[in-house]
Amino acid sequence: MSFRRAVAALPVLLALALSACGGGGGDEVGEVEVRSEAAGRPEADAARVAGSTLSPAAELGKLIFHDASLSASGQMSCATCHAPELGHASPFATPVAMGGARLDRPGMRTPPTLRYLRFSGAFDDAGGARPFGGFFWDGRASTLQEQARGPLLNPNEMANRNVADVVAKLAAAPYAPRFREVFGDDVLNHPRVAFRRMTLALQRYQMEDPEFAPFTSKFDEVNAGRASFTAQEANGLALFNRPDKGNCAQCHSSTKPANAPGALFTDFGYDNLGVPRNPEIAANADPAFFDRGLCGDTRTDLADRTDLCGSFKVPTLRNVALRKHFFHNGVFETLEQVIRFYARRDTHPEQFYPLNANGDPVLYNDLPRALRGNVTSQAPFGRTAAQGPALTRGEIADVAAFLRTLTDGYTP
């Protein structure tokens, strides 16, 4: 399926997913009926959701998302790594989160933002061309429901030993009676079924709640005619779009797709940017270790696609100014550093990569030598020192100013 066809199909897929509680099978709600929210819920709870537009399953998903008791440590929830106030991105000062039963086990990648993911479809290798879609940095999950199960069982994250452990914690939660009301009186006696309902609820929450796709940035207000860019922001947008300058829109489109009410600033594709190795990631202490992205190690089905090694999913740039770390390995900490890397990676590589014994930069040092040819040279990369960077210092500042207009919650 082509990217255009996949995008066109997404509204239908979303509608199907959002109606899954009415019936069906597999990992959706089929064996257990989803009951009406009025079915015996305590009065206080009913009053709390009286003005909500969320389905009963999504309401449960919201409670589950913020419940740290569902982790082995009792201190880590989904929101711990995906903070709503930061656009559902990582709040950690370090590039990776610390998880596990004692919160002493480092992750391998920066927790990605969950905002606007409802518009991403399942992974598609585009017939061997540039792949797109999927969830996680390597696209290994095909749905938000499948993605939701990962952190609950990951030993470096919420660290539950198995599905039964998760469901036992769920059964002890104060909202367990409501879970039974929605998914069936007997559901918690069947851990595998209950776990599927639990992850479905998390999916429904992310697909239904407007906070995961609010489209409330200054950029949106400008498009609606209710605000205006400053001269710097307007120039930043022009540089962002120009193929001979930032060329950012090549992967972070600034135009509205068919399946969303506004620009998503991602094509949900995958790129190998050759970002520098981050020594702050514990796994990188082993010089033989490399995070290969699409071709392994957390994803194994594409191990023979060596052309995809080092490729990671293109994230949305909405709320990018709120992020504390950038790229899958969190190697950069400011927008200006990121844009500077794009502009100067190939013209001034010594500014980003370590030097060898001869004083030469070790290019693309977060990939094995045999795979460094996979790194993209698409503009603004691929320029020589004689040509100079595609963006000046002032232009980098202008692009950063524009990117700050993509933060949700703007009021004119």
Side-chain angles (χ1 to χ4, degrees), residues 239-252 271 273 327 338-348 352 364 376-385 387-392 395-396 399:
L239 294 167
F240 182 95
N241 286 329
R242 281 177 56 177
D244 63 326
K245 297 299 280 184
N247 199 34
C248 313
Q250 180 70 21
C251 298
H252 299 279
D271 276 321
L273 303 179
F327 299 120
V338 172
I339 303 166
R340 186 168 172 265
F341 171 74
Y342 274 92
R344 301 172 72 88
R345 185 197 74 182
D346 294 343
T347 61
H348 296 78
F352 308 102
Y364 321 137
T376 183
S377 59
Q378 176 177 276
F381 301 122
R383 296 173 67 91
T384 66
Q387 290 174 307
L391 297 170
T392 66
E395 290 171 335
I396 289 172
V399 173

Side-chain angles (χ1 to χ4, degrees), residues 54-63 200-201 204-206 208-209:
L54 300 184
S55 69
E59 284 286 349
L60 280 167
K62 184 174 185 177
L63 294 170
L200 174 63
R204 292 288 296 267
Y205 170 48
Q206 293 177 70
E208 294 181 31
D209 197 312

Side-chain angles (χ1 to χ4, degrees), residues 324-409:
K324 296 179 179 295
H325 293 274
F326 297 84
F327 299 120
H328 69 280
N329 65 357
V331 69
F332 295 123
E333 298 178 354
T334 70
L335 275 178
E336 286 78 7
Q337 288 174 341
V338 172
I339 303 166
R340 186 168 172 265
F341 171 74
Y342 274 92
R344 301 172 72 88
R345 185 197 74 182
D346 294 343
T347 61
H348 296 78
E350 72 282 357
Q351 297 177 355
F352 308 102
Y353 301 105
L355 305 181
N356 64 19
N358 296 323
D360 299 319
V362 182
L363 302 180
Y364 321 137
N365 66 321
D366 206 24
L367 279 171
R369 291 185 183 277
L371 298 173
R372 292 175 186 175
N374 288 350
V375 173
T376 183
S377 59
Q378 176 177 276
F381 301 122
R383 296 173 67 91
T384 66
Q387 290 174 307
L391 297 170
T392 66
R393 181 178 298 179
E395 290 171 335
I396 289 172
D398 290 355
V399 173
F402 164 67
L403 291 175
R404 291 188 172 94
T405 72
L406 301 182
T407 302
D408 286 320

Side-chain angles (χ1 to χ4, degrees), residues 191-244:
R192 293 180 61 185
V193 174
F195 189 69
R196 290 199 298 270
R197 302 302 176 268
M198 179 182 179
T199 53
L200 174 63
L202 285 166
Q203 173 179 264
R204 292 288 296 267
Y205 170 48
Q206 293 177 70
M207 295 179 76
E208 294 181 31
D209 197 312
E211 74 172 5
F212 285 98
F215 294 98
T216 56
S217 69
K218 182 176 183 179
F219 173 83
D220 298 297
E221 291 297 302
V222 171
N223 277 353
R226 295 187 291 265
S228 299
F229 287 132
T230 66
Q232 185 183 34
E233 292 164 351
N235 190 49
L237 173 58
L239 294 167
F240 182 95
N241 286 329
R242 281 177 56 177
D244 63 326

